[in-house]
Amino acid sequence: MAVQPGAIAPVHMLPGRVRLQVVGLKDNRLLGQKLVEGLQKTTGIIRATATPRTSRVLVYYDPQGLRVNDIITLLGKMLAAPAAKLAPAGRAQGQAASLPARLAVQESASPARYEVTVAGLPAVWYRLTGAEVLARLGSSAEAGLSEAEVQQRQQVFGPNILAGPVRVSPWQLFKKQFQDLMVRVLVAASGLSFFLGRLRDAAFSLGVVTMNACLGVWQELKASSALTSLQQLAAPSALTTRDGQQRRLPASELVPGDIIYLRSGDRVPADARLIAATDLEVEEASLTGESVPVRKQVAPLTSVNLVAGDMVNMVFMGSSVTRGQGQAVVVSTGKATQMGQVAGLLQEGEQLTPLQASLGELGRLLAWGCLAVSGVVLAGGLLRGQGVLEMVMTGASLAVAAIPEGMPVVVALALAFGVQRMARCRVIVRKLPALETLGCTTVICSDKTGTLTSNEMTVRAIACGRARWQVNGEGYRPGGSFTRQGPAALTAEDDLRHFLTMAALCCDARLLPPDQRRLRWSVEGDPTEGALLVAAVKAGLDLQVLQASYARCQEVPFNPEDCCMTVLYRDGEGRHLLITKGAPEAILARCDRVRWQGQVLPLTPARHRFLVRQGEAMAGQALRVLAVAYREDGTAGAPLIFAGMAGMLDPPRTEAREAVARCLAAGIRLVMVTGDHPATAAAIARELGILRPGGLVVTGAELEGMSDTELERLVPAIQVYARTSPRHKLRIVRAWQQAGGVVAMTGDGVNDAPAVKAADIGLAMGKNGTDITRDAASLVITDDNFATIVNAVEEGRTIYANIRKAIRYLLGTNIGDVVITSGAILAGLPLPLLPVHLLWLNLVGDSLPALALIKDPPAPGIMRQQPRAQGHNFLAGGLGRQILTRGILIGLGGLALFTWRLWRTGSLAAARSLALASLLVSQLIHLFDCRLQDGSGWRPGYLANPYLLGAGALTAVISVATFNLPLLQGLLHTVPLKGGEWLLATAVAAVSGGAALALARPSLH
């Protein structure tokens, strides 16, 4: 708030009604009047009264538009400016301001009453201990808040969101439709017609313009609402505790007092005071400008007047956790956060895609061309003695009908509808330009685990010393058995239980049994750790007893650079136990001893080679191998004792094989990038069809030894990268880009973010991905499935094809209107179309049919086409010639019918009616021939798009009504047409359409 803490506090609340205690109002009637006047000028305030005797303000408000916190903020601003001048003499302004603000909320339905101390200044929080912060916020580190408390606080503080961009009202959008010069000329000419007594023409012209404006408003509102709704799909989430249970909730639902948990890769959802932290580092560049991560602490600070960057026991909304983990209590949400205070400066303008920008330029060029033609028509008519008013109306109507003013909106709607379809296919679009780039994708670099595979790891083999076991059982259900293979000592069973004990302790995941919400056993956390827990339970270990026997003292989270994770425990007797798990080669490099047939023996070169061969044998069976080592004195950095290794299977997804085949048919190369053993990676890649004869498998170590030039030379042949770290991904992306590829790169971890951002299309995983990676990505794959990525490519190609069809339709029909009108003027003929005819054609033919085309589903052959070149000219591939040819033939066909009918009957009304019928039928045929060939193969399949059938049927009905409905006959100056005339108009339209397709066929192929 703008006012110091303690100045305003709610004392009683009901929905739509709040009573506030305002310090400084006591016996100050002038201040009370000013506050009431200011409140009642605010939108959403129904009524306000002030009582100086009790220092209270009663406000009735619209709860749909305002929150209590908004009213408090408004009052605070009024107190901060004029209150000092209005306060009674003798009252020090600083006295009340120094008090903590106490918020007492009492629901009338419940006698229960609680108090929450809310500080308005961040300095209050960083100077308090964690226990003091929790006490003042009425929260608990273990139980968090209750749902009842959360609901009450949400009434006060509102949603945890920043102020969004200002929305344009429908009325403003409606006025915007009349900003075009030619529309204003048409309105002015219609007004002149009205004063000259041509009431019917003036009313109809204004009616059509108004209907066009309403359609424009509807289209813009539809596009805006579609894109706004999609923002909710990508809303961040937070892991919090409510009623003693951990749950993941949308960050917008957080309130002060909520307990949140942070881990490496998370985006901080609100301003919070840390109450626990382990190696926690947070990057706060968005607030402080300092790109170096800040190491956080829990202890209170004694300094005063610190800036946000120096509050090392606080975390702030919008910052990113780069290392470690922590627990914090939320102290500020939404506009009250540090980020909220500068939200207005951070809002971005509307983002145009390259296609929108290029089509906008094309639209401007077409508009100037149409205006030039309209000017020629106007001048030609005046030179031939036509009436000034009639020619002004004709020129303006021709410009309105010919200028593709709806093109930008149609493109925006096509993108919005496409994004919605992708959301239904489990793809969230974060950056609109990615929709265009998808159709250009030539390379997809994909992770293996969870993307190409099912991400439900199962331990299949365990090796401890000389002994090896085969493990049976499927998935996460802890049922199965161990079968020992080969000779081993009697103590081998003890080695197995010891290994699984160490492995289970070195896990953060949880094994969850079936319940009312889960129909089967599941794992919360890393699937690899889940597989180890399942194997431990299969061996008879009780995980709850095991966890109760050891207290975790410290943890070093998994680091992709070191390929391991380490935990430190203390048992009931005070002894320490350090456990590390990770890649076998990384773990073996840290060991000098090994548990071998029940004994701890030196790790000799022979034993080292034996263990390496065991790991390679597991990897050769497409198993992911994980090793575990330990040290019983807990000394960090000292050599470890090798306990054993487990081989896990993560089977390929069934749908991934088909998706890989679709990619190859579409001319898209696939590259697997994984941290697994080369043999494991090669086996999975070969099974999926990614690794083909002649393809190379390269490890991270071999990649390190390559120069950039050498990598660029070899990159087209490398199909599998194994044992890679996230930093290698950036080199792979850049090498492919140097080779001319358009690269899509998947990622989930924090260190994947640079490669995901550098790729032409960054793909973040929605389930296991971190917030930082999702922020850097163009698309978020919510189910982490490779098949979904391929579906996204198909949708991207479809969106582009649909936009081409819609633009082809709009420009073709508009050119037809220009050709028939300008051709008649140049030939010395009467005007074939009246201004109302041109407006009617624009109204009937432009809006709904174009929208139907952008709703077209994917064509069957769209994934059998080669990728579109990046920077591809929108009108390339013969599209420009198709548009021009079709438009000219539509116009010439209508002009020929007009001339013939005028010569045969001498009736100008009959000739104009036949010409208008020809154009209406041509538009209808053109609507369907735009879809007949869309660049992805010849396909009728009209039943697949019910919107197209509906738009076509509506156009046909309106066309018939134009000449048979008395009301429209009078407004449009038309005469009824006979069956033979309809057949003639249809035949001419069909012949012109067939001729256009025949002329365009060479370019289509």
Side-chain angles (χ1 to χ4, degrees), residues 68 73 124 145 152 176 206 239 300 313 400 416 430 587 642 648 652 691 724 795 825 856 900 909 936:
V68 173
T73 302
V124 174
L145 298 174
Q152 291 177 327
K176 177 183 173 184
L206 290 176
L239 184 62
N313 56 8
V400 170
R430 294 185 57 86
I587 298 301
F642 191 83
M648 301 168 229
L691 183 59
T724 59
E795 285 293 343
I825 293 294
D856 233 13
W900 174 80
S936 55

Side-chain angles (χ1 to χ4, degrees), residues 325-350:
Q325 54 191 6
Q327 183 185 20
V329 55
V330 174
V331 297
S332 297
T333 58
K335 292 180 287 186
T337 62
Q338 293 285 314
M339 183 66 76
Q341 295 175 19
V342 295
L345 301 177
L346 299 178
Q347 291 177 12
E348 297 181 357
E350 183 181 358

Side-chain angles (χ1 to χ4, degrees), residues 361-387:
E361 184 62 31
L362 173 63
R364 284 188 289 272
L365 291 175
L366 290 173
W368 282 111
C370 292
L371 289 175
V373 172
S374 297
V376 170
V377 170
L378 174 61
L382 293 176
L383 289 175
R384 292 179 52 241
Q386 299 281 352

Side-chain angles (χ1 to χ4, degrees), residues 63-312:
Q64 299 298 322
L66 287 178
R67 300 280 184 177
V68 173
N69 210 35
D70 298 328
I71 300 172
I72 294 174
T73 302
L74 178 61
L75 286 171
K77 290 179 179 178
M78 287 191 282
L79 287 176
K85 301 176 183 179
L86 300 171
R91 181 181 295 276
Q93 294 299 313
Q95 286 179 343
S98 63
L99 298 175
R102 300 185 63 82
L103 167 63
V105 181
Q106 180 179 5
E107 292 287 350
S108 60
S110 171
R113 184 184 181 96
Y114 70 89
E115 291 187 347
V116 181
T117 303
V118 180
L121 295 178
V124 174
W125 301 118
Y126 69 76
R127 298 184 65 190
L128 302 176
T129 65
E132 290 173 332
V133 173
L134 289 168
R136 293 199 178 193
L137 290 169
S139 186
S140 164
E142 294 76 25
L145 298 174
S146 68
E147 286 296 336
E149 290 174 338
V150 169
Q151 291 177 7
Q152 291 177 327
R153 297 186 189 195
Q154 284 176 342
Q155 289 292 324
V156 176
F157 298 101
N160 178 36
I161 56 177
L162 300 180
V166 178
R167 293 189 177 184
V168 181
S169 67
W171 171 244
Q172 291 173 313
L173 289 175
F174 185 77
K175 291 192 296 183
K176 177 183 173 184
Q177 308 303 315
F178 293 89
Q179 291 178 357
D180 183 77
L181 174 62
M182 299 314 298
V183 173
R184 291 181 176 180
V185 170
L186 185 59
V187 171
S190 299
L192 185 57
S193 295
F194 180 81
F195 285 111
L196 294 177
R198 299 170 61 176
L199 303 182
R200 188 171 56 184
D201 288 352
F204 184 76
S205 298
L206 290 176
V208 172
V209 170
T210 303
M211 291 179 67
N212 266 325
C214 292
L215 279 173
V217 171
W218 177 81
Q219 288 177 326
E220 295 204 33
L221 288 176
K222 185 73 176 175
S224 176
S225 63
L227 294 175
T228 301
S229 65
L230 292 169
Q231 295 173 358
Q232 303 302 318
L233 296 173
S237 60
L239 184 62
T240 185
T241 295
R242 295 267 179 91
D243 287 321
Q245 295 184 346
Q246 282 191 13
R247 61 186 72 174
R248 185 164 289 278
L249 300 171
S252 60
E253 297 182 10
L254 293 178
V255 296
D258 263 325
I259 305 298
I260 59 174
Y261 300 87
L262 305 170
R263 60 183 176 87
S264 179
D266 282 350
R267 179 76 66 183
V268 179
D271 288 5
R273 171 67 162 86
L274 288 166
I275 55 178
T278 302
D279 294 329
L280 184 65
E281 293 183 3
V282 180
E283 186 266 307
E284 299 175 340
S286 57
L287 283 174
T288 65
E290 179 56 62
S291 59
V292 178
V294 179
R295 189 168 184 84
K296 295 294 183 176
Q297 68 178 53
V298 176
L301 305 174
T302 57
S303 302
V304 295
N305 298 325
L306 292 182
V307 297
D310 295 329
M311 300 176 194
V312 293

Side-chain angles (χ1 to χ4, degrees), residues 456-520:
E456 195 167 272
M457 299 290 290
T458 305
V459 174
R460 291 297 189 199
I462 295 178
C464 299
R466 294 183 60 84
R468 181 172 175 176
W469 284 265
Q470 190 72 29
V471 187
N472 300 320
E474 295 293 335
Y476 293 138
R477 186 178 64 85
S481 60
F482 295 80
T483 304
R484 195 169 68 193
Q485 298 177 325
L490 296 177
T491 56
E493 303 293 339
D494 293 335
D495 288 345
L496 174 65
R497 290 181 62 86
H498 179 270
F499 165 77
L500 288 174
T501 298
M502 298 295 103
L505 286 172
C506 195
C507 287
D508 288 328
R510 292 197 304 159
L511 183 62
L512 304 175
D515 59 16
Q516 294 180 347
R517 292 179 297 172
R518 295 179 296 270
L519 300 179
R520 59 178 186 170

